[in-house]
Amino acid sequence: MFNLFHSLFRIAALIVLFSAPGVTFAGETLRVLAWPGYADADLVKVFEKRTNAKVEVTLVDSDEALWQKISTRAAQDYDVFAVNTAELQRYIGAALVVPINTQAMPNLVRQLPRFRDRKAIPGIMQGKQVFAIPYTYAEMGLIYDRNQIKEPPVSIASLWDPRYRGKVLVYNGGAHNVALAAQALGLPKPFRLRSEDWPTAVHKLIDLRRNMLTFYARPEESAELFKNRGAALLFANYGSQQVQLLKKAGVDVGYAIPREGALAWLDCWVITRGAKNQQLATAWIDFMLEAEPSEALVLRQGLANTTAESPFNRADDRLVWLEPVEDVTRRNRLWERILSGDSATRVLQP
Amino acid sequence: MKFGIAAKIGLVLAVIGVAAAGTTGFYAYQTSRDLLVDSAKNELLTATQVLARRITSARQEVSRNLQIVAAQPETLATLEDRNPASADRVAALFKSIMQANPGYFQIRLIAATEHGMECVRIDRDQGALIRIAGDDLQEKGHYPYVFETLALPAGATYLSRIVLNREVGAHDGLGNPTALLATPILNSAGRALGLVIISVDLNSIFGLLRADLPAEFQLFFTNGNGDFLIHPDPDKTFGFDKGRRFLVQDEFPATQMLLEKKLMHLVTEADDGRHAGNPVVAAFIAQQVKVASAETSVILGLAMPRATVVKQADRLGQTMAQIVAGLSLVAIFLALILGRVIARPLNSMSTAVEAFTGNNILENLPLQRQDEIGVLARSFDRMQNQIRHHLAELEVRGSELQHLAYHDLLTGLPNRRLMMDRLEHTLANTERHQRHGALLLLDLDNFKTLNDSRGHEAGDQLLVEVAARLKTSIRQGDTAARLGGDEFVLILEQLDGDGDAAATQAEIVATKLLRSLAQPYMIEIREHSGGVIRHSHHCTSSIGIAMFSDCTVTPEELLKRADNAMYQSKAAGRNTLCFSAYSTP
């Protein structure tokens, strides 16, 4: 009986909070750090209209840039941001993010059961505290030009295939690319390289560099390069989002999940330690779970959302969920050197 | 002070003058200000176009340097056979070019083979030029600037995207805005063996450009998407590289037209956001990148504070205000003078007319003037003459009437009215001077007979002659008057203080009169035939005398007494005199 009243009271409070918008957050500014396509202007406007708050969206296109922005000033510059579960761990470790009040999020009930079961998703809970709300996910498959590659690539090794030399597009990101090299080398733990693994991994990545056309950071950039430069194979860091972009651009592409398993990321919304108004940040995350933003992810970005089953995956596709890497700084330092064209000896210098 | 016609005319003229000066000044100011602002905008646009040309020529200068390197046989030789001596000479050439161009971060010769391995590379490191060699040389084949340049024909220039340089080991260029310009090196067979590439320091190039501009000018440079590459606020540059884009179309919405290629240049104004406190006028030019490039177009912009533009107009406004104030003063002064010029003759006329009522002659009339005021003055003058003429006539008539009122028409002697008046006077005088006076009433004897027998004309002649004899018989100061008919009166003043002596004096006068009046009279009688007959007529008089010495007696009473005495004389046989019984007090 008490619980019933308690729940009713909570619902009533929530109704008051969200049915009388414009009063609650007038004059406040929400600083959102998001990936392209997560906070489109029209959706932001809906939220602004509803809350009367002003939303300042900053876009980020790599995990490193994200870490830089959040960690540089102890998360004081942003209120809420989206990060994948693997990357999330170092933010929790550095106490840059704070637990989320899930009771103030009526839209959580819209999520699919596997995302509602937050204990089953590694990394988003610490004890009983919820640090992240899953928002979207994608696997990093291989996109190929069906005119140039008749048979769908079955292995990550295709990226090193000399037949596609100068026709491979690779994402400009250290952590993923080292993991990719580890998968290609058949190393047991792609996110946990042993010290003896590094030289081979670096050589493998230099080989990758020599086989690739160039690198990209944004989905649009990859689509443009793929189309205009006649690329044959693309490591799709943004997954189905890029497939959709390329199809829209009129390129006949196929999408393959390699047998080694596609790295897959699950992006979650988190609230920073520096959030000026946690209620407003929570309201933003809850809004992101509504039908409109969720559908926008699928329709505009080709990303899966957490409230409906993904149209992009096959049941037997093997996904390798991203995990925190052993030394993200080292991975990035080495990757920058590799990308700049250094030789293996110079890359491996301390 | 009365609000006269001069003041009114002056005020109206002054108001008209000031209004005319003010209106002219205002419209002149507005037109001129618009012209000034337009001209300032045009100048700004021209300055931007000049800058754009200088950027183009700076780019062409880089292209020329690229071609100088490309034209060196050593360059091709280095790529073909990796001869260290050739490489040294190329390196020396690179150094000399970089020494001459402080805005170059780096010059490299990159091979098409070996994954784009750098063959010769000179970097600027903390200002000094260093040659990178051995294991420090890097493979660049996966960078677009390599594979794009290699695909170009001989002599063509490639321009990379303008980005923050992220290539590890780039020395001074690392992290700085950089534009890469490259040209392919082709062998005799036309195959690209490599490329020579210059890294240009964007800040240095724009720093030079900016140096010539006034300090308040703001310089903007964006790529074809509108991302700021140069901006007064460095935090707003290369937003695409830092995660938060800052676009020219957000700061200057009009530039959307340039990005959509609907316009090639425009002048706009911004007064919100960054410019809320200090609105600016800005000129923007879209430039198509003429060389092969990842950048399709760039936008160059120059902004200056609107205050600077308007300042010139404000100076103009001040000058205009001074001119208007001066003109207004002149107008007021002229109006006052004009008012006075018009009012002065009017005033002098009104003064003259006022004086005229004081029976003076109108003077100072502006009779000589040829204008309306002259006509008015001459009319006044004529009117004055007529009035004066009439007044003189009236005066004559008046004195005549007065004479008639107090004198006998026939004899010219004072009549009864005047006599009574004088008598009253005399009574007062006599008492004051303790003298005696005498009233003599004189009646002609048998006058009626003459009148009846010879006619009134003869009677009248007699009466006139009697009057003449009376006048000659009395002293100056005494009065002779005709009471009417044949009755005359004499008033004798200043007789002796003693009553008897005075009576004697009166008697002497009366006796003398009787004698004089008894002399024959020559009467002219007009015959019916028209002829005139002179006829001697004898006539006597009877006189009654009433003496007086004070005012206890009224003139009427005194006259009555004299009348009684006269009748006593008649009764006593005529041609005699009698004293009134009351005569002696």
Side-chain angles (χ1 to χ4, degrees):
Chain A
M1 211 45 196
F2 173 79
N3 277 339
L4 177 64
F5 278 125
H6 189 72
S7 305
L8 281 175
F9 176 77
R10 210 157 69 194
I11 289 163
L14 289 171
I15 287 168
V16 169
L17 185 66
F18 290 101
S19 62
V23 186
T24 329
F25 306 113
E28 303 251 8
T29 300
L30 182 71
R31 301 161 300 168
V32 177
L33 185 58
W35 298 73
Y38 284 19
D40 284 348
D42 57 331
L43 299 173
V44 165
K45 270 190 190 123
V46 171
F47 182 75
E48 284 182 330
K49 206 174 164 190
R50 200 181 294 178
T51 57
N52 257 3
K54 189 180 177 304
V55 177
E56 232 175 63
V57 178
T58 305
L59 294 184
V60 73
D61 57 17
S62 78
D63 289 335
E64 292 340 295
L66 183 64
W67 173 251
Q68 280 292 318
K69 287 188 186 304
I70 295 298
S71 63
T72 306
R73 299 209 325 113
Q76 294 305 306
D77 295 333
Y78 302 93
D79 300 312
V80 62
F81 67 97
V83 61
N84 70 52
T85 49
E87 286 288 314
L88 173 63
Q89 302 320 305
R90 55 170 162 168
Y91 294 89
I92 296 175
L96 293 169
V97 292
V98 294
I100 296 169
N101 177 16
T102 51
Q103 295 181 347
M105 299 185 58
N107 286 329
L108 282 180
V109 295
R110 293 174 41 82
Q111 290 194 305
L112 297 170
R114 59 186 148 122
F115 295 109
R116 271 209 309 262
D117 184 10
R118 287 182 283 274
K119 283 193 184 102
I121 303 170
I124 67 171
M125 287 189 74
Q126 293 235 324
K128 289 195 167 182
Q129 293 178 316
V130 177
F131 278 89
I133 303 297
Y135 172 56
T136 181
Y137 66 97
E139 69 294 317
M140 305 175 195
L142 297 173
I143 295 173
Y144 60 98
D145 177 3
R146 284 214 259 233
N147 294 322
Q148 296 187 60
I149 304 175
K150 299 299 174 191
E151 287 294 310
V154 290
S155 166
I156 287 171
S158 309
L159 294 171
W160 280 262
D161 192 330
R163 284 180 298 171
Y164 312 133
R165 185 167 168 190
K167 289 174 172 256
V168 176
L169 285 172
V170 176
Y171 175 69
N172 182 10
H176 294 179
N177 289 349
V178 173
L180 212 55
Q183 275 188 304
L185 289 167
L187 297 177
K189 290 185 173 177
F191 306 109
R192 297 271 159 196
L193 257 60
R194 298 158 301 185
S195 54
E196 67 264 32
D197 294 336
W198 282 104
T200 44
V202 165
H203 276 106
K204 192 74 183 168
L205 285 173
I206 287 176
D207 287 345
L208 177 63
R209 177 186 80 197
R210 289 173 174 171
N211 207 46
M212 75 189 191
L213 168 65
T214 189
F215 48 91
Y216 69 88
R218 299 153 174 275
E220 305 77 34
E221 202 182 344
S222 71
E224 196 186 306
L225 283 165
F226 195 96
K227 187 182 178 189
N228 297 338
R229 303 292 160 218
L233 196 57
L234 165 64
F235 169 66
N237 190 66
Y238 302 91
S240 44
Q241 190 180 2
Q242 284 161 288
V243 176
Q244 200 164 37
L245 272 173
L246 281 163
K247 283 186 172 165
K248 212 182 277 178
V251 186
D252 183 15
V253 292
Y255 187 54
I257 304 298
R259 61 166 180 260
E260 294 88 349
L263 300 175
W265 50 261
L266 172 61
D267 265 8
C268 305
W269 285 108
V270 294
I271 298 175
T272 69
R273 190 171 75 187
K276 284 182 186 159
N277 188 332
Q278 292 195 12
Q279 267 191 324
L280 180 59
T282 311
W284 167 265
I285 299 174
D286 195 53
F287 170 70
M288 285 286 118
L289 299 179
E290 283 186 11
E292 205 182 340
S294 295
E295 281 162 18
L297 278 176
V298 179
L299 295 174
R300 299 182 195 172
Q301 311 300 336
L303 290 173
N305 63 51
T306 60
T307 58
E309 289 294 349
S310 166
F312 309 112
N313 294 13
R314 286 193 306 262
D316 56 347
D317 283 344
R318 188 182 160 199
L319 301 181
V320 178
W321 292 101
L322 291 178
E323 288 174 31
V325 298
E326 74 297 310
D327 185 346
V328 70
T329 321
R330 184 172 190 205
R331 284 192 176 202
N332 284 316
R333 189 173 65 238
L334 297 194
W335 171 247
E336 273 183 10
R337 287 176 180 173
I338 291 165
L339 190 65
S340 297
D342 274 338
S343 63
T345 38
R346 282 189 58 85
V347 172
L348 287 167
Q349 273 175 6
Chain B
M1 182 194 149
K2 68 176 180 179
F3 199 61
I5 195 162
K8 282 175 190 162
I9 290 172
L11 186 67
V12 169
L13 290 176
V15 166
I16 291 171
V18 170
T23 314
T24 312
F26 176 72
Y27 282 106
Y29 165 70
Q30 229 177 19
T31 312
S32 312
R33 191 190 61 177
D34 290 351
L35 285 174
L36 265 180
V37 170
D38 281 353
S39 117
K41 284 180 176 176
N42 282 335
E43 279 172 28
L44 191 65
L45 187 60
T46 308
T48 315
Q49 281 161 339
V50 168
L51 270 190
R53 275 196 289 277
R54 288 175 65 178
I55 291 171
T56 305
S57 58
R59 201 272 304 154
Q60 287 166 340
E61 170 74 21
V62 179
S63 288
R64 270 194 298 279
N65 282 330
L66 286 172
Q67 294 317 315
I68 288 170
V69 175
Q72 294 299 315
E74 308 292 352
T75 311
L76 189 59
T78 305
L79 290 173
E80 275 177 334
D81 52 20
R82 298 295 154 89
N83 180 342
S86 303
D88 289 348
R89 283 193 286 274
V90 171
L93 175 62
F94 284 4
K95 275 191 179 174
S96 67
I97 291 174
M98 285 185 70
Q99 271 158 358
N101 295 279
Y104 292 180
F105 278 135
Q106 198 178 51
I107 305 183
R108 292 174 285 170
L109 180 64
I110 295 174
T113 54
E114 300 167 70
H115 314 290
M117 178 58 89
E118 294 168 332
C119 299
V120 181
R121 170 172 160 187
I122 303 293
D123 279 14
R124 201 178 294 280
D125 184 17
Q126 293 172 332
L129 299 178
I130 53 170
R131 182 173 175 187
I132 309 299
D135 202 27
D136 289 342
L137 293 171
Q138 297 168 317
E139 293 176 8
K140 301 292 187 183
H142 52 287
Y143 280 100
Y145 60 76
V146 173
F147 58 79
E148 296 284 2
T149 308
L150 290 175
L152 293 178
T157 301
Y158 172 84
L159 169 68
S160 73
R161 282 190 67 202
I162 299 166
V163 292
L164 297 177
N165 191 342
R166 298 287 186 204
E167 294 181 41
V168 175
H171 296 103
D172 283 359
L174 190 61
N176 282 317
T178 307
L180 299 173
L181 287 111
T183 191
I185 310 293
L186 279 69
N187 65 6
S188 50
R191 208 176 121 239
L193 298 186
L195 59 134
V196 57
I197 181 161
I198 297 178
S199 306
V200 177
D201 178 1
L202 204 66
N203 284 338
S204 163
I205 297 290
F206 277 86
L208 284 175
L209 293 177
R210 203 183 343 225
D212 295 340
L213 293 172
E216 75 262 26
F217 274 55
Q218 298 173 7
L219 187 63
F220 300 93
F221 189 59
T222 82
N223 63 21
N225 296 323
D227 291 284
F228 285 115
L229 306 178
I230 296 286
H231 190 283
D233 177 2
D235 288 345
K236 296 207 165 173
T237 57
F238 297 94
F240 57 85
D241 193 75
K242 298 169 184 167
R244 187 170 172 194
R245 294 175 76 181
F246 296 97
L247 303 171
V248 68
Q249 59 268 41
D250 292 338
E251 193 167 330
F252 300 96
T255 55
Q256 187 66 41
M257 301 291 277
L258 297 180
L259 294 165
E260 289 168 7
K261 305 200 172 19
K262 289 178 182 159
L263 279 177
M264 290 313 285
H265 56 76
L266 59 85
V267 180
T268 181
E269 295 188 26
D271 54 9
D272 55 356
R274 257 185 83 237
H275 309 288
N278 187 14
V280 294
V281 178
F284 287 93
I285 294 178
Q287 273 204 312
Q288 298 307 308
V289 176
K290 299 261 170 53
V291 297
S293 177
E295 301 283 9
T296 52
S297 64
V298 289
I299 292 174
L300 179 70
L302 259 189
M304 67 193 282
R306 193 152 59 195
T308 312
V309 179
V310 178
K311 209 189 315 181
Q312 297 174 0
D314 282 349
R315 266 204 299 278
L316 174 83
Q318 280 174 3
T319 313
M320 285 286 183
Q322 284 165 0
I323 291 172
V324 166
L327 282 178
S328 297
L329 283 177
V330 169
I332 291 169
F333 182 67
L334 286 178
L336 286 177
I337 288 181
L338 198 54
R340 283 181 68 92
V341 164
I342 292 171
R344 195 165 49 200
L346 292 176
N347 284 338
S348 72
M349 273 195 286
S350 80
T351 314
V353 171
E354 268 172 40
F356 175 67
T357 61
N359 214 11
N360 289 318
I361 299 169
L362 286 185
E363 282 170 352
N364 303 326
L365 279 179
L367 299 172
Q368 307 309 317
R369 291 179 71 120
Q370 294 303 311
D371 53 9
E372 290 84 346
I373 288 169
V375 171
L376 188 60
R378 286 191 287 278
S379 303
F380 267 127
D381 194 46
R382 272 198 302 279
M383 194 175 75
Q384 165 188 244
N385 290 336
Q386 282 178 1
I387 290 171
R388 285 171 59 77
H389 179 69
H390 289 309
L391 273 179
E393 260 179 19
L394 268 176
E395 219 168 299
V396 170
R397 297 261 168 84
S399 58
E400 275 175 6
L401 275 173
Q402 186 154 22
H403 190 78
L404 284 174
Y406 289 97
H407 292 83
D408 174 40
L409 203 56
L410 183 64
T411 62
L413 289 178
N415 61 11
R416 180 189 183 93
R417 199 165 151 202
L418 182 55
M419 184 279 293
M420 292 300 276
D421 198 40
R422 292 230 180 130
L423 184 55
E424 202 168 351
H425 243 36
T426 308
L427 283 172
N429 272 342
T430 308
E431 182 175 283
R432 196 180 314 132
H433 296 116
Q434 296 186 333
R435 293 290 184 125
H436 283 74
L439 181 68
L440 279 67
L441 185 69
L442 184 151
D443 189 86
L444 299 182
D445 299 333
N446 302 315
F447 177 67
K448 200 167 177 298
T449 317
L450 175 69
N451 239 9
D452 291 343
S453 62
R454 301 289 181 183
H456 286 287
E457 204 175 330
D460 285 352
Q461 284 185 36
L462 177 67
L463 289 173
V464 170
E465 183 57 25
V466 168
R469 292 183 188 181
L470 283 177
K471 274 184 213 166
T472 57
S473 304
I474 56 170
R475 293 172 300 168
Q476 178 131 26
D478 293 342
T479 301
R482 183 185 173 211
L483 281 188
D486 54 347
E487 279 187 334
F488 294 87
V489 164
L490 290 176
I491 300 166
L492 306 179
E493 295 180 52
Q494 304 288 333
L495 298 179
D496 201 294
D498 177 64
D500 292 340
T504 309
Q505 284 172 339
E507 191 177 352
I508 292 167
V509 171
T511 309
K512 197 172 130 194
L513 271 177
L514 286 175
R515 209 166 33 243
S516 162
L517 293 175
Q519 300 295 315
Y521 297 87
M522 288 308 285
I523 305 292
E524 287 181 352
I525 296 167
R526 200 176 301 266
E527 293 273 290
H528 289 295
S529 59
V532 174
I533 303 169
R534 292 178 68 90
H535 168 77
S536 178
H537 177 74
H538 185 78
C539 178
T540 58
S541 304
S542 300
I543 295 176
I545 301 170
M547 298 302 291
F548 56 87
S549 59
D550 53 33
C551 292
T552 52
V553 62
T554 63
E556 287 79 14
E557 177 62 25
L558 200 60
L559 194 61
K560 205 171 165 188
R561 288 179 191 173
D563 197 45
N564 289 338
M566 189 272 289
Y567 277 107
Q568 285 172 23
S569 296
K570 292 269 187 195
R574 298 183 177 163
N575 196 21
T576 185
L577 63 94
C578 275
F579 278 95
S580 165
Y582 296 96
S583 291
T584 317

